[in-house]
Amino acid sequence: MVIDGRTRTCGLIGNPVEHTLSPLIQNALANEAGINAVYVPLGVKDGLKKAIEGAYTFGFAGMNVTVPYKRDVLELLSGVDDAAGRIGAVNTLKYTDKGYYGYNTDVTGFVREMEELGLSVAGEDVIVLGAGGASLAVCEGLRQLYVDHIYMLNRSLDKARQLYGDCSDITLLGLDEYDKIPDGGYTCIQCTSVGLPDSADRAAIEDEGFYSRIKAGVDLIYNPSETAFMKRVTFQYPFNYQKDTFAYSILF
């Protein structure tokens, strides 16, 4: 990679960003495609508005947005595409003359990964852990995959109600209320930040009784490659149902 006066700068905004593999992936792709661009991590602990304004002033060609800013960034953009507007969260920004324009590619990525893994949820009830920007996209993707009902477990029920209180296909529960979900074998999508490197030894729910209900797990965290959630799904109850319990980690 050669950086010169014409190199375009892109990056990832979030907190934390130390774990991300996006620079490795994006810079390798740019180099392979012969694109004169560099992609860097942009840790923003606070001051999101100033960060967006600064990136625009410096002419950053585009950015990705991750936890915890996928919703907060909406009010700082010149506009959003239909998917981002419908979902209420953004993960991709593109430079325009009027400011950054937002897109959401999470839904497409999630649906594609589920299909490629052969993990069907059509007509089934599914458990989603977390009620943030990532889960907004996951719920939209699950609907596209014809899920029947979603049980959403979140640490703060007030936050969950603000985002999902009007959704008739979602039942909201606290993390400690999983026993209110009917017995059965469920696919569980892990959308919280618990399990990132700063909490790699923890899972959002650690009670063994919860994992006895899980037949398949998908964790949106990809670094570490095997999270505490995935270990519990894969190894604690490997033969509870007709098919072996298994877990996947996917990259958004």
Side-chain angles (χ1 to χ4, degrees):
M1 177 185 296
V2 176
I3 298 177
D4 57 28
R6 293 183 176 84
T7 301
R8 305 180 74 189
T9 307
C10 303
L12 172 71
I13 283 183
N15 182 37
V17 294
E18 290 81 6
H19 68 285
T20 183
L21 299 179
S22 291
L24 177 66
I25 296 168
Q26 299 291 354
N27 286 318
L29 291 172
N31 187 59
E32 180 71 18
I35 298 172
N36 188 358
V38 63
Y39 187 102
V40 295
L42 302 166
V44 179
K45 294 184 178 180
D46 53 45
L48 178 63
K49 184 174 184 293
K50 291 182 178 179
I52 295 295
E53 291 173 345
Y56 189 79
T57 299
F58 281 116
F60 276 48
M63 292 178 289
N64 291 126
V65 183
T66 189
V67 175
Y69 299 125
K70 292 189 177 187
R71 283 182 52 78
D72 294 345
V73 76
L74 286 168
E75 62 185 29
L76 305 176
L77 306 179
S78 62
V80 298
D81 72 343
D82 291 342
R86 184 173 62 254
I87 297 163
V90 164
N91 75 324
T92 303
L93 309 183
K94 179 182 179 181
Y95 185 98
T96 74
D97 291 340
K98 297 180 180 180
Y100 285 112
Y101 192 87
Y103 300 84
N104 192 305
T105 63
D106 282 343
V107 176
T108 302
F110 174 71
V111 170
R112 183 180 63 193
E113 290 292 340
M114 293 285 283
E115 291 175 341
E116 290 180 355
L117 293 169
L119 190 53
S120 174
V121 293
E124 296 185 2
D125 295 346
V126 172
I127 297 174
V128 172
L129 299 183
S135 63
L136 286 166
V138 164
C139 288
E140 178 68 17
L142 289 171
R143 293 182 182 109
Q144 292 184 18
L145 293 168
Y146 304 105
V147 72
D148 187 56
H149 193 78
I150 298 168
Y151 291 99
M152 179 173 288
L153 281 61
N154 195 56
R155 182 177 58 182
S156 169
L157 274 179
D158 288 340
K159 177 182 176 182
R161 290 186 183 111
Q162 290 176 6
L163 294 181
Y164 301 96
D166 296 330
C167 298
S168 60
D169 60 344
I170 298 178
T171 297
L172 302 175
L173 298 168
L175 290 177
D176 59 350
E177 295 182 301
Y178 68 82
D179 57 352
K180 294 183 179 180
I181 300 173
D183 290 337
Y186 296 90
T187 296
C188 180
I189 316 297
Q190 203 294 117
C191 303
T192 78
S193 60
V194 181
L196 287 171
D198 61 348
S199 57
D201 60 339
R202 293 171 22 226
I205 298 178
E206 301 193 336
D207 294 349
E208 292 183 359
F210 172 72
Y211 293 93
S212 67
R213 301 165 182 260
I214 307 304
K215 67 176 181 180
V218 175
D219 199 329
L220 302 192
I221 294 172
Y222 65 90
N223 185 21
S225 60
E226 187 175 54
T227 61
F229 167 81
M230 291 170 64
K231 290 178 181 178
R232 285 166 169 80
V233 171
T234 307
F235 300 119
Q236 286 204 220
Y237 297 94
F239 305 107
N240 275 337
Y241 305 103
Q242 292 180 353
K243 292 184 179 180
D244 293 354
T245 305
F246 54 96
Y248 295 108
S249 179
I250 69 173
L251 169 62
F252 261 7

